[in-house]
């Protein structure tokens, strides 16, 4: 069994299972009309919404870019997501391969409701028509309520989302769609002392995806290694899932925050762990 696990993990690390050719969107070849850094007002079927955006300054309309959404938490705002570099991912894009977008929530205490799924669909379609996007590499991230929304998208948007990364997630307390049961790449980060989106809630969210991503849900029974109390974080990559749709589970002692840090470190490990996960696709 250990030999099989080693082979699978080696293949996973070398990206054999997950590589695929880019599929360009309709916006490829079109002159850019959106700001490269800043915001724009997006008109959709239910009104208008401010959208924060960052496009590489050397944008080439013939080159398909990855698209990464950053979803705000309750009490936050899209501008805050942009200011934090889309959960720390934008500073890691040194080769300028990604377009980053943060849609504004509905302005209420809980920013994502049932209409948010409509907003996502219409915004994604708009961006694919306006920009040159690799439609096989669209990702969503979020913290807390933003994680819950990204996780909801992972239940029924597998045809347009390649993977999500969710920080302090729960599988409840938000408008959730019907599950399609189709697989999707999924990464979860959980503070083991979180009393808001508790480890139980986050593990439940993870296990739902494990059921999607493995034959007869066998991966739900796989025991993930978790971080020891007050020690460095631990990221565990599941072996028994379909490796085209990997699942990564990262834990550490800590509360309800997205930017966990190892003891003695001033820099969060979360952005790099997420960046490495997304780059497997």
């Amino acid at each position: 069994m250990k030999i099989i696990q080693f082979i699978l993990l080696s293949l996973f690390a070398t990206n054999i299972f997950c590589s695929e050719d880019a599929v360009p969107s309709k916006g490829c070849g079109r002159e850019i009309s959106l700001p490269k850094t800043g915001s724009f007002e997006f008109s959709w079927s239910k009104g208008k919404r401010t959208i924060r955006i960052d496009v590489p300054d050397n944008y080439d309309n013939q080159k398909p870019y990855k698209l990464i959404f950053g979803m705000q938490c309750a009490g936050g705002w899209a501008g805050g997501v942009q200011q934090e570099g889309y959960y720390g991912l934008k500073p890691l894009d040194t080769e300028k391969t990604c377009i980053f977008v943060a849609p504004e929530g509905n302005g209420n205490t809980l920013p994502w409701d049932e209409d948010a799924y409509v907003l996502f669909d219409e915004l994604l379609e708009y961006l694919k028509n306006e920009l040159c996007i690799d439609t096989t590499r669209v990702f969503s991230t979020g913290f807390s309520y933003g994680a819950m929304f990204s996780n909801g998208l992972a239940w029924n948007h597998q045809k347009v989302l390649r993977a999500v990364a969710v920080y302090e997630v729960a599988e409840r307390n938000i408008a959730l769609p019907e599950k399609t049961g189709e697989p999707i790449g999924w990464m979860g980060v959980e503070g083991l002392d979180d009393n808001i989106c508790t480890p139980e809630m986050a593990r439940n969210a993870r296990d739902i995806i494990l059921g999607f991503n493995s034959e007869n849900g066998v991966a739900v029974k796989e025991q993930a290694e978790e971080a020891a109390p007050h020690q460095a974080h631990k990221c565990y990559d599941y072996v028994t899932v379909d490796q085209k749709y990997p699942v990564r589970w990262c834990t550490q002692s800590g509360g309800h925050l997205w930017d966990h840090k190892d003891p003695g470190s001033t820099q969060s490990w979360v952005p790099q762990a997420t960046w490495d996960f997304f780059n497997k696709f």
Side-chain angles (χ1 to χ4, degrees), residues 72-78 104 107-112 143-146:
Q72 69 169 86
C73 64
W77 65 307
E104 194 70 39
N108 297 328
T109 303
L110 301 180
W112 306 114
F143 165 59
S144 189
Y145 218 72

Side-chain angles (χ1 to χ4, degrees), residues 88-89 91-92 233 252 258-273:
L89 296 177
L92 299 178
H233 74 281
Q252 187 173 31
W258 74 265
D259 55 344
H260 294 277
K261 302 175 180 65
D262 284 331
S265 176
T266 59
Q267 185 171 342
S268 174
W269 52 265
V270 175
Q272 188 66 56

Side-chain angles (χ1 to χ4, degrees), residues 51 55 72 74 79 102 111 126 149 190 224 230 242 247 260:
I51 309 297
V55 178
Q72 69 169 86
Y126 175 78
F149 178 42
E190 180 67 12
H230 311 296
D242 181 343
V247 175
H260 294 277

